[in-house]
Amino acid sequence: MTVKQTLYEWFAASGAEFPDHVALEIGRDRLTYQELQDAAECIAARLLTAADGVPQRVGLLAERSVLAYAGYLAVQLLGATVVPLNPAFPAARNAAIVTAGGLDLVLAETTGRETTALTLPAPVVALTHPPTTAEGNDIPAPRPTGPESIAYVLFTSGSTGTPKGVPIRHSNVSAYLSHVIPRYELGPGSRVSQTFDLTFDLSVFDMFAAWGSGATLVVPTRRDLMAPVRWAAEAELTHWFSVPSLVSFARRMRALKPGSLPALRWSLFCGEPLTLQQAEAWAAAAPESTLENLYGPTELTISCAEFRLPRDVAEWPRPANGTVPIGALYPGLSYLVLDTEGLPSDDGELLVRGPQRFPGYLNPQNNSDRFLLHNGATGTSVPHSGDSPITTAHWYRTGDRVARRDGQLIHLGRMDQQVKIRGYRVELGEIEALLREQSGVRDAIVIAIPDAVGDLSLEAICTGPDPQPEHILSDLRSRIPEYMIPRSVTVFDELPLNINGKIDRQTVAAMIAGRRG
């Protein structure tokens, strides 16, 4: 059996065994493993020429298209690090990521939509047509790449107002794939959904769990995502993976009818809490499917915990918070639950270490207080200062509060002001920092309020001499992604304080919820 140490080796092993199997399906486009490999080699040759050598880090500014996936593989073929960028993000956001990531160049797909590529602070390699091997390019010589090389860097929301770069090693992903591919019985004939943007780390499961097993990656169009259940049925998907909020969307559209997804064998959800109501609705629609709830921050490589719901709904656990447990951690990973004093507890912050834990943030200053040493039994923790190396002995602080119940972990929310909006991780402090920069704003907070079905939306509250809500929202739209834009901006004379003199966020949330009626 071939030892696979890098992402490209996972793909190439399947390509060697199943060259004529369909690797990628997007609408009417179908590429076999051999054809996708040829496309990747062609793009890699272009990148090699543009960089006058093998680049170290390459941005990928593209939609979910043939070019996007071939481009992703091309960067991996070169032994370089891929940094996904989103064409829907504001130009300033992508430019900040290019600068923070130290990108050598950006591979950008030219489409009919306005692109931010022309304003990026890095050379741009434009792709305007499907690559072929007919261009006479030689297969490029890759950069020497091993399991400890960085496969990709994803930028997440940062509490200081600056996105944080999360580098993930090939070894992190290989440990992950070695677990999930056999667990979900992936292989030739499997048809795997791809509902995530490439800037969302869960997309790595879609691509490489499929390509690492000889399965087919099936990509929806934008129109398909407006009717996801119909698309999943028509595409005859065997494996579904999405954020739970997509279930809520399908329910609101009255599309999630019992038995409507008969071909599904596996249904996986991750990115935000999965409610029991969402799980019940999906289980009824996909009666032949095994349903699992997954959990994991980007720093722990896609997902690191799992809970498989019994087929009989009557046997499901019913935690008090109405969500499906996150269950147990993957084999090879260790965890601690620590209270606010840093002592072991059955209710507190989740800390994890093991082969899926990332090596530390791209900017080492972000490592401060995110890692610590602990003997796992007694004694207080020793926070990482940020000026010393991070070792395998260090635990990563997830910031998530969990409880141990009946041998399973229950997710109880965040220890800080981070929330999940449609599966995307959002630091409320980042938005608040931008609000406080606005003319006429003295202070600002952002709160997340659930609607009737439990989906969160953001609300901004500002104080100051003359806040202008419409101007504020307009400015935010030019600086941050749409999912981070507050639903509205409400002006208060003063923010209420609690007995300790801190802003009383619970009172503010109740006031805003009351205004919604």
Side-chain angles (χ1 to χ4, degrees):
M1 182 177 178
T2 303
V3 177
K4 293 161 280 195
Q5 295 186 325
T6 68
L7 283 183
Y8 195 81
E9 287 175 358
W10 282 90
F11 169 79
S14 294
E17 190 172 0
F18 313 110
D20 297 325
H21 287 212
V22 176
L24 179 63
E25 181 178 314
I26 307 177
R28 296 181 179 178
D29 292 326
R30 287 171 173 77
L31 274 72
T32 65
Y33 275 87
Q34 184 63 60
E35 290 168 338
L36 187 54
Q37 178 178 318
D38 291 345
E41 290 175 354
C42 179
I43 295 176
R46 295 189 197 178
L47 290 173
L48 201 65
T49 299
D52 195 23
V54 179
Q56 181 175 355
R57 293 182 190 153
V58 179
L60 179 61
L61 183 67
E63 303 275 355
R64 282 173 288 184
S65 64
V66 170
L67 292 177
Y69 298 106
Y72 200 111
L73 286 169
V75 178
Q76 297 299 326
L77 171 60
L78 287 176
T81 299
V82 65
V83 182
L85 304 168
N86 194 323
F89 285 2
R93 180 80 169 188
N94 283 326
I97 291 173
V98 170
T99 299
L103 304 189
D104 296 318
L105 49 83
V106 174
L107 178 63
E109 181 181 9
T110 301
T111 65
R113 298 177 60 193
E114 182 179 356
T115 179
T116 61
L118 297 179
T119 62
L120 295 177
V124 173
V125 178
L127 291 179
T128 57
H129 60 86
T132 68
T133 54
E135 299 177 19
N137 294 302
D138 295 328
I139 298 176
R143 177 188 297 277
T145 306
E148 300 312 300
S149 298
I150 302 301
Y152 60 85
V153 177
L154 293 175
F155 280 80
T156 67
S157 180
S159 58
T160 62
T162 302
K164 293 189 298 187
V166 181
I168 300 296
R169 291 172 170 154
H170 288 279
S171 61
N172 299 143
V173 191
S174 289
Y176 174 79
L177 294 175
S178 296
H179 174 66
V180 297
I181 288 176
R183 181 174 179 84
Y184 302 125
E185 300 174 332
L186 285 152
S190 299
R191 293 174 59 77
V192 183
S193 69
Q194 214 285 277
T195 67
F196 304 105
D197 292 325
L198 296 182
T199 53
F200 202 158
D201 66 327
L202 301 183
S203 66
V204 179
F205 169 94
D206 298 339
M207 290 186 286
F208 289 95
W211 295 337
S213 64
T216 300
L217 182 68
V218 186
V219 182
T221 64
R222 290 186 197 171
R223 184 176 180 180
D224 291 331
L225 286 177
M226 297 305 295
V229 176
R230 183 177 66 189
W231 167 69
E234 292 177 350
E236 297 184 325
L237 298 179
T238 61
H239 291 69
W240 174 269
F241 193 24
S242 78
V243 292
S245 57
L246 197 146
V247 181
S248 296
F249 172 77
R251 293 177 72 190
R252 286 196 296 271
M253 296 295 103
R254 299 181 180 179
L256 204 58
K257 299 177 181 178
S260 54
L261 294 168
L264 276 184
R265 302 202 309 269
W266 293 92
S267 297
L268 313 177
F269 295 94
C270 191
E272 58 193 353
L274 175 66
T275 68
L276 291 168
Q277 292 87 346
Q278 290 168 331
E280 287 178 8
W282 191 271
E288 301 303 317
S289 176
T290 299
L291 198 157
E292 282 205 355
N293 184 37
L294 307 182
Y295 159 84
T298 302
E299 291 85 348
L300 294 173
T301 312
I302 309 167
S303 60
C304 64
E306 61 206 1
F307 182 81
R308 182 171 297 179
L309 283 163
R311 287 296 182 96
D312 186 352
V313 175
E315 298 178 4
W316 288 11
R318 301 282 171 176
N321 64 358
T323 65
V324 179
I326 60 174
L329 266 70
Y330 292 177
L333 298 179
S334 303
Y335 79 93
L336 294 174
V337 179
L338 300 182
D339 63 17
T340 54
E341 302 299 320
L343 297 173
S345 173
D346 285 332
D347 187 329
E349 183 178 11
L350 177 66
L351 293 85
V352 180
R353 70 183 181 190
Q356 289 181 218
R357 196 214 68 196
F358 80 133
Y361 292 102
L362 202 59
N363 181 351
Q365 293 181 357
N366 291 323
N367 293 330
S368 181
D369 296 329
R370 300 313 307 164
F371 295 86
L372 57 79
L373 295 172
H374 197 286
N375 64 12
T378 60
T380 57
S381 58
V382 180
H384 182 258
S385 63
D387 56 4
S388 58
I390 294 172
T391 69
T392 56
H394 281 91
W395 300 87
Y396 173 69
R397 299 181 56 191
T398 66
D400 286 313
R401 182 184 164 208
V402 300
R404 276 189 281 247
R405 300 284 188 272
D406 301 322
Q408 303 293 338
L409 292 176
I410 309 296
H411 188 273
L412 299 178
R414 292 292 300 172
M415 303 288 289
D416 52 24
Q417 292 303 312
Q418 186 187 98
V419 297
K420 289 286 186 74
I421 302 295
R422 300 198 299 276
Y424 286 97
R425 192 167 72 178
V426 175
E427 292 277 1
L428 299 183
E430 179 179 5
I431 309 172
E432 291 169 353
L434 295 175
L435 288 169
R436 287 191 291 268
E437 294 177 5
Q438 303 294 318
S439 175
V441 174
R442 180 174 60 248
D443 202 356
I445 65 170
V446 177
I447 57 176
I449 298 181
D451 61 17
V453 296
D455 291 335
L456 294 178
S457 63
L458 301 178
E459 297 280 353
I461 299 91
C462 297
T463 66
D466 189 27
Q468 299 291 322
E470 290 302 318
H471 173 78
I472 291 171
L473 290 173
S474 177
D475 183 79
L476 290 180
R477 290 188 185 100
S478 70
R479 304 175 70 182
I480 54 178
E482 181 273 334
Y483 63 83
M484 294 176 68
I485 305 295
R487 182 172 178 264
S488 66
V489 176
T490 303
V491 178
F492 280 13
D493 291 333
E494 297 291 340
L495 293 173
L497 305 178
N498 62 22
I499 193 171
N500 296 318
K502 298 179 181 179
I503 295 173
D504 192 338
R505 291 176 178 267
Q506 289 186 337
T507 296
V508 174
M511 294 169 68
I512 295 298
R515 294 189 181 194
R516 280 188 181 183

